[in-house]
Amino acid sequence: MTEELFELEKETKNINKPMTKWARVIVETDEKNPKTVALITNVDCESAPGFRVRIKPVD
């Protein structure tokens, strides 16, 4: 994990407000022809083999 991601994870750890304004989040590789590694919606989350997505529920 890069230092920026580590810091962002630390800074947002205690946020308990649901995200809005997004229908879905697509995580891709940074290539000329990007590959999707994860797709996150309000009701589901799928990731490519070798990747995992952790979701923090709202209390």
Side-chain angles (χ1 to χ4, degrees):
M1 181 183 296
T2 66
E3 187 65 29
E4 289 95 4
L5 282 175
F6 179 76
E7 287 300 317
L8 183 59
E9 183 177 8
K10 223 166 69 170
E11 290 170 13
T12 59
K13 185 172 187 147
N14 294 319
I15 292 176
N16 198 36
K17 182 179 177 186
M19 293 188 293
T20 58
K21 300 183 183 180
W22 292 281
R24 63 184 180 172
V25 176
I26 301 171
V27 181
E28 301 177 324
T29 59
D30 186 21
E31 303 172 317
K32 184 178 179 179
N33 297 309
K35 296 173 183 68
T36 299
V37 296
L39 178 66
I40 305 158
T41 69
N42 282 335
V43 295
D44 199 7
C45 177
E46 293 291 332
S47 61
F51 293 89
R52 69 177 176 196
V53 176
R54 295 181 298 143
I55 299 174
K56 181 184 181 285
V58 176
D59 296 333

